[in-house]
Amino acid sequence: MTILQANRFSSLIGEIYDAAADPALRSGVLEQVSNFVGGCAATILSRDSARLSIEIHQHFGTESRFRQLYRDRYVEQDPLLDRHLDLDAEQTIGVTDVMPHAEFLATSFYREWVEPQGAIDLATVAIEKSDARTTILQVLRHRSRGTVDEPMRERMRLLAPHIQRSRIMGRQIRARSHTVDDLADVLDGLSTAICLLDADGRVVHANAACRELFVDGSLLSMVGDRIVARNTQTDKIFRSLFEIAADDGTHVPGPRRIELVTSAAGQHYLLCASPLKRERLQPRDSTAAVLLVQKATMAPSLVPDAIATAFRLTPSELRVLMAIVEIGGVPDIAAKLGIAETTVKTHLGRLFEKTGAGRQADLVKIAAGFSAPFAQRASSNDAV
């Protein structure tokens, strides 16, 4: 291989691996592979071990009608395809390794499929083998270049392991990408606002509930890529919670802290920040902590019944508990429920006794723990 050819080979290897990350590059890379080895068309295809089906993964230089003809009729006449079931991976074979070329020219496979594409010969190399299937690179040789020679075989053999690794890397990248997308969909379906932060407090990812929280802006908002609290109390609590993610991630985690804050609109929220395990030398812009924000309201489903059952609350005690969550102050609760403040205080004392809470804020936290975790999606009947 000349210096020019070696440089071409090195550049092509790089582009083969680039195609693992960007599927849009694969067609162009296969064209370069075909040209580099001395072919006029190339196909990557799989054959199952039972010889029942084939799958064409990529192709260059073959018209759709010839690909369909190969699937429907000529796959069984291809003299090279099934040879790789018994050969080592990366072993390149040409027609003359199987039969005299003169006999090949007399076959219907050559006369009806190879020759009409302007080719005179073909070579194949296995790039992946398993008990279930074998995947090969098939390259057609144009008649102007003569039959398959040793340089073509050698170049295909050298490229095969790189194509194999690129395909494996591509599958891993796609699988990881699907996992991330699926996880994002799950997070978007939760009613709790979830925000991933790096070690400097910048937002790495926010789910749908968190984005809605930022748009509302009465509790937290986004300025650039950072979270800003809307009042002094919330800012102080948020900063103290986030300090757990400001170090190198090697501290011993303490008890999880959950804080109650109030928005500018008077609504109660629970804040919780938790560190994520990080390597000591991990970049600071990688995810370091997760911030959870839950609106302290009772979900209108079976949640009130669940609380009443868990703590054996009477209907009156449950109504007071729900009013504490939604309103907060004893006078306001009494006014809303149409009962005396002393009655509210009596129910409040029983709630403390039954739940073990010591403050109204603790009751709010307990109630929020029974909230439905899934966001309610608008139905077609809700559309305006």
Side-chain angles (χ1 to χ4, degrees):
M1 190 180 294
T2 65
I3 294 178
L4 179 60
Q5 291 170 339
N7 289 337
R8 280 185 61 197
F9 177 76
S10 177
S11 176
L12 179 55
I13 294 302
E15 295 189 35
I16 287 173
Y17 288 113
D18 287 342
D22 186 356
L25 301 176
R26 293 174 187 168
S27 179
V29 168
L30 188 60
E31 179 179 0
Q32 292 185 58
V33 167
S34 177
N35 293 336
F36 180 75
V37 303
C40 61
T43 303
I44 294 178
L45 59 94
S46 294
R47 171 82 155 182
D48 70 294
S49 300
R51 297 177 171 86
L52 297 177
S53 64
I54 68 162
E55 179 181 358
I56 294 179
H57 305 286
Q58 295 170 243
H59 56 83
F60 157 72
T62 56
E63 298 177 10
S64 60
R65 63 188 180 97
F66 284 109
R67 295 195 300 274
Q68 191 61 47
L69 280 171
Y70 187 85
R71 288 193 191 95
D72 296 343
R73 185 184 309 174
Y74 295 107
V75 61
E76 300 301 338
Q77 300 180 32
D78 186 338
L80 303 183
L81 179 61
D82 290 337
R83 296 283 177 163
H84 289 286
L85 296 176
D86 304 317
L87 295 176
D88 295 334
E90 302 170 18
Q91 184 172 343
T92 306
I93 57 173
V95 169
T96 55
D97 296 311
V98 176
M99 60 194 301
H101 195 263
E103 290 184 16
F104 174 66
L105 298 180
T107 63
S108 57
F109 176 71
Y110 170 78
R111 289 184 287 102
E112 298 171 12
W113 192 79
V114 176
E115 187 179 30
Q117 297 185 73
I120 193 172
D121 204 352
L122 75 160
T124 58
V125 60
I127 53 178
E128 290 185 69
K129 294 187 67 174
S130 69
D131 293 339
R133 62 182 50 245
T134 299
T135 302
I136 69 166
L137 168 67
Q138 177 194 78
V139 181
L140 294 181
R141 182 87 158 179
H142 194 268
R143 64 169 64 95
S144 64
R145 307 198 66 163
T147 58
V148 171
D149 53 17
E150 284 307 312
M152 181 176 183
R153 287 185 174 88
E154 179 64 11
R155 293 184 184 187
M156 290 179 65
R157 184 189 67 78
L158 291 174
L159 288 176
H162 299 288
I163 297 174
Q164 176 194 26
R165 292 171 196 148
S166 176
R167 287 173 56 81
I168 294 173
M169 289 169 57
R171 287 196 295 269
Q172 293 174 338
I173 291 171
R174 289 194 300 276
R176 189 166 300 174
S177 176
H178 287 315
T179 299
V180 171
D181 291 342
D182 291 342
L183 179 58
D185 288 341
V186 171
L187 294 181
D188 282 343
L190 298 178
S191 59
T192 300
I194 301 174
C195 187
L196 303 180
L197 306 171
D198 69 12
D200 293 318
R202 291 185 291 262
V203 175
V204 177
H205 178 78
N207 72 340
C210 193
R211 296 193 295 270
E212 291 177 7
L213 191 69
F214 293 149
V215 170
D216 175 70
S218 63
L219 181 72
L220 302 170
S221 62
M222 284 278 293
V223 176
D225 56 1
R226 295 181 183 274
I227 297 176
V228 175
R230 304 306 295 175
N231 59 59
T232 303
Q233 177 229 20
T234 302
D235 181 69
K236 183 178 179 180
I237 291 175
F238 171 66
R239 298 302 162 193
S240 67
L241 284 174
F242 184 69
E243 286 176 359
I244 60 175
D247 59 16
D248 62 2
T250 60
H251 66 286
V252 178
R256 180 172 297 177
R257 291 173 54 193
I258 300 176
E259 298 288 350
L260 181 67
V261 296
T262 305
S263 72
Q267 295 176 316
H268 299 310
Y269 290 85
L270 297 176
L271 264 62
C272 174
S274 297
L276 300 177
K277 185 177 180 180
R278 300 167 59 227
E279 300 296 334
R280 182 177 293 275
L281 300 179
Q282 192 167 336
R284 291 187 64 82
D285 60 356
S286 61
T287 303
V290 58
L291 173 68
L292 307 175
V293 185
Q294 175 67 56
K295 191 173 183 179
T297 58
M298 299 299 291
S301 57
L302 297 179
V303 174
D305 291 339
I307 287 187
T309 300
F311 297 105
R312 298 180 180 178
L313 305 182
T314 66
S316 296
E317 291 166 350
L318 181 60
R319 283 195 295 271
V320 170
L321 175 58
M322 294 180 67
I324 289 171
V325 172
E326 296 174 2
I327 302 173
V330 170
D332 294 330
I333 294 173
K336 179 176 181 179
L337 299 181
I339 58 178
E341 291 185 25
T342 54
T343 303
V344 173
K345 291 178 180 178
T346 298
H347 289 314
L348 188 56
R350 291 173 181 164
L351 287 171
F352 287 153
E353 181 181 347
K354 290 184 176 182
T355 62
R359 303 177 303 157
Q360 287 185 221
D362 295 330
L363 289 175
V364 173
K365 295 179 183 180
I366 291 171
F370 284 80
S371 296
F374 302 107
Q376 293 184 354
R377 301 184 183 275
S379 65
S380 58
N381 297 329
D382 297 329
V384 178

